[in-house]
Amino acid sequence: MPELTTSDSSSPRTGADASGDTAPEGGPSDAALQTELGAVIRRVRKERGLTLVQLARLAELSHPFLSQLERGLTRPSMSSLHRIARALGTTQQALFVQAVAPAAPGTAIRVTRAGDEDGVAVSKDGGVARMLGTAPLRLHPVEYRGMHPDFQDYYEHPGDEFLYVVDGEIEIDIQAPDGRRVERLGPGDSLTYPGGTPHRWRALGDRDRVRILAVQNAPGAEGGQPTCQDAETLPHGE
């Protein structure tokens, strides 16, 4: 499963991608996915009534980087995409699933086989994330393989999340309402936390062995934030 090129020009401060992650160049299918992701971001931005300059300011990323991203000339790390998604009122998963598996007429059924390369692989905390869902569904399953051995920045998103460890060991740092919690999880262990909870993960032991399934309910489900599909029903700028 190839990873796609990550720009090193997304941060207005340092000229580096916000996460510092980079990915090697992929093949022709990667270029097509890159173009689709850029088109999705451009569409949702316009539906929100935002200019590129306004989105760059809200996401704290550079205008040139976002321009290249929307034209399919570069790809962000999950950290930069997280900034973009928050500025657009959605999530990374909602943006990615629109690019990987847009709604097909008459069906929301999608099979992803072991070893399939039709899911998006993107740099994520020292590993890769592969989107497994399809756009019409109100949940976003993601497979994570490999993980950074040190804690990175906290992530938070509107959707509730279920986490299941398939292999390896991880430690997850959660900023819960009643205080910070650090949990150690191994194969067969699972964890759930509500949307809006700051969290971050790190690998324990062999970082390349880590394999996780995370399932997040789509923004817009159960009163969450609007999905990409819902965006066109919103007044501009909301």
Side-chain angles (χ1 to χ4, degrees):
M1 180 173 52
E3 295 179 59
L4 307 183
T5 303
T6 301
S7 168
D8 61 358
S9 60
S10 61
S11 170
R13 296 187 305 274
T14 66
D17 182 275
S19 71
D21 292 332
T22 58
E25 293 184 1
S29 63
D30 293 338
L33 290 171
Q34 198 162 287
T35 299
E36 286 297 321
L37 178 61
V40 168
I41 292 172
R42 180 174 62 251
R43 175 172 62 81
V44 178
R45 172 179 62 78
K46 290 183 175 180
E47 288 167 352
R48 296 295 194 267
L50 296 172
T51 66
L52 267 175
V53 172
Q54 289 171 326
L55 178 58
R57 184 179 70 251
L58 291 172
E60 298 183 328
L61 298 170
S62 75
H63 173 271
F65 168 74
L66 289 176
S67 177
Q68 288 187 328
L69 175 62
E70 288 194 355
R71 287 180 288 141
L73 302 178
T74 191
R75 164 159 262 174
S77 70
M78 287 295 277
S79 178
S80 291
L81 191 62
H82 178 66
R83 293 170 179 239
I84 294 168
R86 283 204 307 180
L88 293 173
T90 185
T91 67
Q92 310 104 299
Q93 289 87 343
L95 294 174
F96 261 127
V97 78
Q98 288 286 313
V100 179
T107 182
I109 298 172
R110 178 188 179 213
V111 175
T112 303
R113 305 288 185 187
D116 278 357
E117 294 184 356
D118 60 343
V120 167
V122 63
S123 177
K124 162 68 177 171
D125 291 349
V128 293
R130 187 169 66 140
M131 310 301 150
L132 304 175
T134 187
L137 299 184
R138 293 292 188 174
L139 56 86
H140 294 149
V142 183
E143 177 193 55
Y144 294 100
R145 295 192 302 179
M147 187 174 293
H148 203 284
D150 301 313
F151 282 131
Q152 304 298 297
D153 293 338
Y154 285 100
Y155 283 83
E156 59 179 290
H157 41 71
D160 301 337
E161 191 160 52
F162 165 79
L163 187 68
Y164 179 83
V165 179
V166 178
D167 199 4
E169 288 189 308
I170 69 167
E171 195 169 53
I172 180 165
D173 179 2
I174 306 171
Q175 296 291 345
D178 57 350
R180 182 187 180 205
R181 292 181 57 178
V182 178
E183 299 287 348
R184 181 170 182 161
L185 304 178
D189 292 341
S190 66
L191 179 70
T192 56
Y193 40 87
T197 302
H199 58 280
R200 56 184 182 172
W201 313 336
R202 70 173 178 178
L204 298 175
D206 185 356
R207 58 183 290 181
D208 295 326
R209 182 183 168 190
V210 172
R211 188 176 179 189
I212 296 170
L213 174 65
V215 181
Q216 184 185 128
N217 67 305
E222 302 298 326
Q225 296 296 317
T227 63
C228 294
Q229 300 98 301
D230 297 331
E232 59 191 17
T233 67
L234 294 176
H236 282 183
E238 191 165 317

